[in-house]
Every structure is written in structure tokens, then in C-alpha cells.
Amino acid sequence: MPIRFLAPAVLILALSSFSQTFAEFPTAEDWPNWRGPLHTGEANPEQNPPVNWSNSENIAWTSRVLGKGHGSPIIVGDQIVLATSDDEAEIRFLVSYDRSTGEQSWITPIHSGNATPPRNEKGTQASATPACDGERIYINFLHDGAAWTSAVSLDGEILWQTRITPYTVHQGYGSSPFLFGDLVIVSADNKSGGAIAGLNRSNGEIVWKHQRPKKPNYSSPVVYQTSGSDQLLMTGCDLVTSLNPQTGEVNWEIEGATTECVTTTVATNGLIYASGGYPKNHLSAVRTDGSGEVVWENGTRVYVPSMLIKDDRLYAVTDAGVAMCWDALTGDEIWKGRLGGTFSSSPILIDDKIYATNEEGLTYVFLASPDELQLLAKNQLGEICFASPAVSHDQLFIRYGEMVDGKRQEFLACISTSEN
């Protein structure tokens, strides 16, 4: 049953009256999943959020978030939805906020007890981003020593829950679900021997499952149309892997990545890009035609933040805070420039502008330009940020944290120049 309100120490159960009718989904105003509507970190055209903001400037509203998590918000019609975890109570939740006001619409416990805490101090129990198809919201969590996928209605009712595979924590878990056809595709690479699986979106039944090596890895699955077909692409476990997204059958697979990858790969012109950070720093471009050809590679550490592509240029912000631009086809470095700080969230591309937020809550806005690093703005919000932003028209949504009475308090902010 969804929870309507959370007091600091009391959970009050109630059904939500919120409902949403989708004539068409996703619309240009939706950011329905990890990395946005195009699955690449790029916003749809004509989005125009602010370039400048602060704790007091261009903030339409802020709302407190229970517990903590590094999963990004998604935009679903009039709802903003994110995953979070109350570690003391050992409860993992989905939370919905009213897009116009920031008021909490509903909060639904997905799993209680039997928590599987991360071992990395930067990890959380809610590091995945939900995905929505206009009818259901899907989310991945660890629970009772396994990875689970759950489906929730638009008003917060749990519809089904499916155990995917046993999970042994090495660092943590943050793989996000991907929607393709009538399937929700999920992954859970880990030292127990993980899996990539395609589940029936209506009932959660496992349609296919592809077993993975017994190695830790953190990438999320993504499907691109490349080299003449739809390919489900994964990096990590020392592999670059292409599966048929409908059946889970292997299209091709090569040794072409490091063991541990976090980024979600991007693709262009028959190439995908594998980047990892353990046991070595590695960035490579691999052909998607099954030839196994590694077109170019270098030793840049783009371990956690996912990359962007625009006009055959590959843009990245390294973990150490350096913005970089390469020729996506040849790997030739075009420019690089230091931003500052450490980055875990992934940058997003809005028209010709890249928004990248470091772990201290400082967002750099710079041009996606092949000429040089052209910084447009630096915007401070809070003190902590690991989640990637979401955008819709003139609104930018950022999950951030502040230290309050010695404890981390998270917030969701709507950044906009216009009044609601």
C-alpha cells in the first residue's frame, strides 16, 4: 500500500488519489527513464531550462526526500518519481512528487528488511533510476541477497515483483531498467554469477535470461539500432556484449572492456564506447557489426559518469573533473579542460549545452563545441550530489543533499525561470 506522507519518525499509510491519463507516452515533456527519452543523456529539442541558478535564484520549489539514494528523478506527466532508502528502517521506496508544487503525492515501500548494504562508502541502497512506460513504473533494488525488479502503478500500487538472480555485493548495485517492446530488460552482474533478463512488463514473468560471468560490474543495459539491427549492449565483466533484446541470444561478444564498468554506453556510426576504471582505466570504440574490431582506445578514466555524443564528437567528464572532447570516429583528442571536483553523476546534453554536476553540488554548464572548452556558468546547489539531473522544457530537476545537524538530508529541486 502506498504511503501518503512521511513524518520524521512515523509512516502513515494511505491510498493516493493521484491518477494520470496518458494519451501519448512518452511526450516531449517526459524524461521517463535513466538517461532520458533518447537513452543517451540528450534532451529532446526545444528544452530551455535556466543556465544560471543558486540556492535562492531560479528555484521554483524544493522538497525534502526521505533517506538517501543516488538514483535520478524521472518525469512522468505531472509526476516526478525517484527511488530512495531509509537505511535505519531497512525500507526501500519509490516516491512521487507533484511536478507543479513539489508536494509529495505518494510513497510506496518496495522492500522491507533483509537489506543488502553497499560496501563502497559512495554507494546507496537506492542507486537505480526508475523507468516508466505510461502505465507502470519499474525499479530495481537489492533485497534478501538477490536483485529484484518491481512494477508499480502510477498511483503507487505494487503490481508485481520478480527475483532476478542472487547478488553478492562487491561495491554496490545501481543498474537501471530499460524498456523495449513488451519487455523490461534488467541486469545484475555480480561475483555470484549475474544475469541479464527480459521480463514481461504486464506480469513480471521472465521471458529470457542470459547468464553472466562471476564478476562485479555496474553498467545498465541499453538498446540501440546499430549496424542494421536492434542490439542490447552491455560493457563490463571484461566483455563488450551484444544481445538480441527480444530473445537474449548473443549477437556477438568480445574481450574489449575492463572488469568493472559503471557508465551506460553510447553509440554512433556503427561504434559503441566502452569505458571502465578497474582493474585499469580504459576507453575504447568497438564496431557493432560483429567483426570484433576495436577501432581506437586510450587510458582515460571515465569510470562513473556516462558520456555524450553530438555531431560525431564524444564528450565526457572524467571522474577527476576534466571535461574532454574526442573525434568519436578516430579517437583523436580535440580538447580537454579542467572543471574541478570529483564527478559521479552523468552529464546531460540540452541543445548545444552540457550540464555536469560534481559531488559537491556544483553544476558546470559548457558548450558542446568542437573548438574548445567554453564554460557558460557555474551553479552551486546544496553540498552533495551524486544523482544525474532530469529536464523538461524550462524545468531542471536535481536531487541533492545538505548536512543538517550532522546528518545528510536530501532534497529534490525544480529549477526554472518561470512560475508554476
Side-chain angles (χ1 to χ4, degrees):
M1 179 181 293
I3 297 173
R4 180 66 177 172
F5 172 75
L6 278 174
V10 181
L11 304 181
I12 302 173
L13 297 178
L15 288 172
S16 168
S17 61
F18 185 90
S19 64
Q20 177 73 41
T21 301
F22 287 82
E24 180 183 355
F25 187 88
T27 71
E29 296 187 4
D30 292 312
W31 188 274
N33 43 251
W34 168 236
R35 306 223 75 207
L38 305 177
H39 310 292
T40 59
E42 181 178 0
N44 280 320
E46 301 181 359
Q47 314 300 297
N48 190 34
V51 172
N52 297 283
W53 65 87
S54 68
N55 288 314
S56 58
E57 176 190 11
N58 287 334
I59 303 296
W61 52 257
T62 61
S63 184
R64 284 178 175 256
V65 176
L66 170 74
K68 65 180 181 179
H70 293 165
S72 299
I74 63 170
I75 303 167
V76 181
D78 294 330
Q79 298 186 77
I80 310 299
V81 181
L82 53 77
T84 195
S85 173
D86 184 332
D87 293 350
E88 292 183 4
E90 292 192 346
I91 304 175
R92 283 124 279 161
F93 302 90
L94 275 183
V95 191
S96 174
Y97 299 87
D98 183 278
R99 173 178 171 156
S100 297
T101 65
E103 181 183 354
Q104 185 176 288
S105 303
W106 51 259
I107 181 165
T108 298
I110 304 298
H111 298 289
S112 299
N114 298 315
T116 310
R119 296 177 63 185
N120 190 303
E121 63 180 8
K122 292 185 180 182
T124 74
Q125 295 184 54
S127 293
T129 297
C132 182
D133 59 8
E135 297 181 7
R136 306 172 195 89
I137 301 165
Y138 307 88
I139 187 60
N140 298 337
F141 284 114
L142 295 186
H143 173 64
D144 197 20
W148 292 71
T149 300
S150 301
V152 174
S153 70
L154 297 180
D155 58 7
E157 178 186 359
I158 295 177
L159 302 175
W160 56 256
Q161 296 185 296
T162 300
R163 186 179 185 272
I164 306 302
T165 186
Y167 197 97
T168 299
V169 169
H170 179 64
Q171 300 281 358
Y173 179 66
S175 181
S176 300
F178 186 94
L179 303 178
F180 180 82
D182 57 357
L183 301 176
V184 51
I185 298 173
V186 298
S187 65
D189 289 337
N190 72 95
K191 296 170 75 173
S192 297
I196 306 171
L199 282 61
N200 184 303
R201 289 186 354 206
S202 64
N203 57 28
E205 292 182 358
I206 295 177
V207 177
W208 60 258
K209 183 185 286 190
H210 175 76
Q211 296 301 134
R212 296 278 281 172
K214 294 182 178 181
K215 297 180 180 182
N217 185 45
Y218 313 104
S219 296
S220 297
V222 64
V223 177
Y224 292 120
Q225 188 173 71
T226 180
S227 296
S229 64
D230 291 324
Q231 299 189 38
L232 168 58
L233 299 167
M234 280 283 292
T235 62
C237 297
D238 300 311
L239 301 169
V240 180
T241 302
S242 170
L243 304 179
N244 181 327
Q246 291 283 16
T247 66
E249 296 175 329
V250 177
N251 295 321
W252 54 265
E253 189 170 69
I254 68 167
E255 294 182 2
T258 54
T259 305
E260 296 182 32
C261 299
V262 181
T263 64
T264 300
T265 188
V266 288
T268 188
N269 291 310
L271 298 175
I272 71 162
Y273 302 89
S275 64
Y278 185 84
K280 65 177 182 178
N281 300 329
H282 177 74
L283 172 61
S284 67
V286 178
R287 290 208 186 278
T288 58
D289 60 4
S291 65
E293 180 184 0
V294 178
V295 176
W296 60 262
E297 58 184 321
N298 63 48
T300 307
R301 183 180 177 82
V302 190
Y303 183 24
V304 180
S306 297
M307 297 178 287
L308 299 164
I309 288 179
K310 182 176 176 61
D311 300 330
D312 293 335
R313 302 289 188 265
L314 181 66
Y315 295 91
V317 176
T318 70
D319 299 54
V322 177
M324 300 195 68
C325 174
W326 297 274
D327 184 308
L329 305 182
T330 67
D332 293 337
E333 183 181 304
I334 298 173
W335 58 255
K336 65 179 177 181
R338 177 160 295 281
L339 299 177
T342 301
F343 285 75
S344 287
S345 71
S346 294
I348 63 171
L349 176 65
I350 306 173
D351 192 17
D352 61 348
K353 295 181 285 294
I354 294 173
Y355 290 61
T357 306
N358 68 18
E359 291 181 3
E360 292 72 45
L362 181 61
T363 299
Y364 296 84
V365 183
F366 58 95
L367 287 180
S369 166
D371 299 326
E372 61 182 351
L373 175 59
Q374 299 180 50
L375 188 63
L376 302 177
K378 294 193 295 183
N379 307 300
Q380 186 70 49
L381 184 63
E383 304 169 272
I384 306 163
C385 187
F386 287 84
S388 304
V391 63
S392 175
H393 281 252
D394 67 343
Q395 296 176 321
L396 190 71
F397 297 90
I398 295 182
R399 178 184 198 161
Y400 70 96
E402 294 180 351
M403 297 305 295
V404 178
D405 296 328
K407 295 183 178 181
R408 171 171 158 181
Q409 172 63 58
E410 289 198 352
F411 298 88
L412 178 65
C414 174
I415 300 168
S416 176
T417 56
S418 61
E419 295 183 359
N420 295 311

